[in-house]
Amino acid sequence: MDFGGPELKRTFDTRFREPPAFLVRLDQAVIEGQEVTMSVRISGQPKPMLYWLRNRVTVKTGPRHIVRETEDGAFEMTIKSAVRSDSGIYTCKIINEYGTKQCEGKLEVKGMLLF
């Protein structure tokens, strides 16, 4: 049966939209003075904004706290010459228009062993 109307066409946005998600974990333990790098891989469309926090306070980047995106798409926060006060619960929070996710990991900075 032909109703004589125009044929309906559907168009699809080929840029799939998805909420942010993490693909790795953060837990680490190091000795005082060592460099430590926490790395996460994320997904989401559009690309999520990324924030690092320690004990729920935003980590300020500077000479000892360096945040970067690697060539292979991971996001890293490096702490140069870690000290005991760097210990804590680190949170990586990612946000896009479709949602917010966060993952947490514990960093333990142990004192140097002296013999």
Side-chain angles (χ1 to χ4, degrees), residues 52-66:
W52 289 96
L53 302 98
R54 183 178 69 83
N55 298 333
R56 294 190 226 156
V57 177
T58 301
V59 174
K60 293 182 180 173
T61 58
R64 275 195 349 101
H65 295 87
I66 300 161

Side-chain angles (χ1 to χ4, degrees), residues 22-26 39-42 51-53 89-94 101-105:
F22 286 99
L23 308 173
V24 295
R25 303 293 300 170
L26 296 177
S39 178
V40 294
R41 290 191 177 281
I42 64 173
Y51 303 92
W52 289 96
L53 302 98
I89 302 297
Y90 283 79
T91 305
C92 184
K93 188 178 214 178
I94 52 177
K101 294 272 183 180
Q102 63 184 41
C103 74
E104 293 183 344

Side-chain angles (χ1 to χ4, degrees), residues 24 26 28 35-42 50-52 61 65-79 92:
V24 295
L26 296 177
Q28 291 195 47
E35 181 175 290
V36 60
T37 299
M38 288 173 259
S39 178
V40 294
R41 290 191 177 281
I42 64 173
L50 182 137
Y51 303 92
W52 289 96
T61 58
H65 295 87
I66 300 161
V67 176
R68 70 184 191 102
E69 182 176 2
T70 65
E71 288 181 15
D72 66 352
F75 289 86
E76 295 179 341
M77 181 178 64
T78 300
I79 301 172
C92 184

Side-chain angles (χ1 to χ4, degrees), residues 80-92:
K80 303 262 185 198
S81 192
V83 295
R84 285 186 181 184
S85 62
D86 289 321
S87 294
I89 302 297
Y90 283 79
T91 305
C92 184

